[in-house]
Amino acid sequence: MSISTAVALALALLSTTLTNLAYLREHEAAAALPVLSMRRPLHSIRLLVADRSWLLGFAMETGGFLLYAAALALASLALVQSIGAGGIGLLAYVSARMSGRQLSGRELSGVLLSVLGLLALAVSLVGGSGEGRSGSTATILIWLGTSAALALLFLLLGRALLGVAVAAAVAGGLFFSIGDISTKVATQGGARIGFVVLLVLGYTLGTVLLQLGYQAGGALTVAGLATLLTNALPIAAGTIVLAEPVPSGAFGGVRVLAFAAVTAGAFLLARPGVNPATADTAAGRATT
């Protein structure tokens, strides 16, 4: 493993820690605010920026992004995102401590899978960690456009079928994945610096949708689902769209198992629904 890769993974670990702590602070702040609505975006933004607790959470999230962007400049998208996917274990642990409850068997299994995935990823790095190619701009845009279309579909149909919290979390995660992939492409420089526009758009819509979800569901449900998609899709995009290499032989098998483990761990932790104790309150606040 090269020095640049080691630095990138350390930055990614700091990034996911800071970002997941930011999600918990934003959830606590947003859940206490009057109802936010996409039909009144300026009013909703004013409510958020007037809340110091939410602003601190957003500042932490911004710091996490800057660390993430630095990590992407040094290592492949799939490797950096794998660290982020494993970070959902931290989200689950801190969320449980803040609410004064114990992790369920499902959540504990998710944490263990995430940790094992990160350990497997570390082992696989012995086999190399190449950057891959830059990828076709047309293919990248098709991937991002499809992600945006799915996000809009979930917003239109998902609220009635899955509830506001889950629909907002899934759509938010899809938009965050657009921001993450665009960040990696923008770090390639040249004409691709134009992907900064999609970066800003993806993160802005993702952040707004997460706040709406926070008012309708628990932090682990909303941030967990969003984190699952935010990491799983860029991991796939790194391999499929950007042609980032997987080591050959046994180390390649371990790398694939690592990706699968952190994604499965995130899936177990990102359970849809809200806690029964808060379901009635959440339902009353979920009008958007």
Side-chain angles (χ1 to χ4, degrees):
M1 180 172 61
S2 66
I3 294 177
S4 62
T5 299
V7 172
L9 295 184
L11 290 172
L13 182 60
L14 289 173
S15 170
T16 192
T17 300
L18 191 58
T19 299
N20 280 295
L21 292 175
Y23 284 159
L24 292 172
R25 178 169 285 276
E26 286 178 359
H27 172 268
E28 186 178 14
L33 291 174
V35 176
L36 304 172
S37 172
M38 292 192 73
R39 296 193 184 101
R40 296 182 296 165
L42 294 179
H43 174 72
S44 297
I45 290 172
R46 281 196 295 268
L47 287 174
L48 290 170
V49 298
D51 188 286
R52 290 185 178 180
S53 181
W54 185 87
L55 274 180
L56 177 58
F58 183 70
M60 292 167 62
E61 186 180 352
T62 302
F65 165 74
L66 294 175
L67 292 170
Y68 168 77
L72 282 183
L74 297 171
S76 69
L77 177 62
L79 284 179
V80 173
Q81 294 295 152
S82 296
I83 299 295
I88 195 175
L90 173 69
L91 178 67
Y93 175 75
V94 178
S95 175
R97 290 295 299 269
M98 288 178 64
S99 61
R101 65 178 181 83
Q102 301 227 339
L103 290 174
S104 67
R106 179 188 176 100
E107 292 168 339
L108 187 58
S109 297
V111 171
L112 291 175
L113 266 177
S114 297
V115 172
L116 287 174
L118 292 177
L119 290 174
L121 179 63
V123 171
S124 78
L125 290 174
V126 177
S129 55
E131 270 287 302
R133 297 187 293 273
S134 59
S136 162
T137 299
T139 304
I140 295 169
L141 289 174
I142 289 172
W143 182 287
L144 298 182
T146 302
S147 298
L150 287 173
L152 293 175
L153 185 63
F154 265 94
L155 284 177
L156 292 173
L157 304 178
R159 288 185 295 180
L161 297 174
L162 302 172
V164 172
V166 173
V170 171
L174 285 163
F175 279 120
F176 273 136
S177 77
I178 291 173
D180 285 352
I181 296 168
S182 298
T183 300
K184 176 59 179 179
V185 177
T187 63
Q188 295 171 354
R192 291 196 166 183
I193 198 69
F195 275 85
V196 167
V197 175
L198 296 179
L199 178 162
V200 172
L201 185 62
Y203 285 138
T204 299
L205 291 173
T207 298
V208 170
L209 287 166
L210 232 62
Q211 311 317 308
L212 298 177
Y214 286 154
Q215 292 198 322
L220 185 54
T221 295
V222 178
L225 276 171
T227 300
L228 168 63
L229 291 166
T230 301
N231 291 291
L233 289 177
I235 286 174
T239 304
I240 297 170
V241 179
L242 301 180
E244 294 174 349
V246 175
S248 59
F251 288 119
V254 173
R255 176 77 57 85
V256 172
L257 287 175
F259 290 164
V262 293
T263 302
F267 176 79
L268 288 173
L269 289 166
R271 66 206 190 288
V274 296
N275 294 331
T278 61
D280 293 337
T281 302
R285 298 173 59 84
T287 301
T288 60

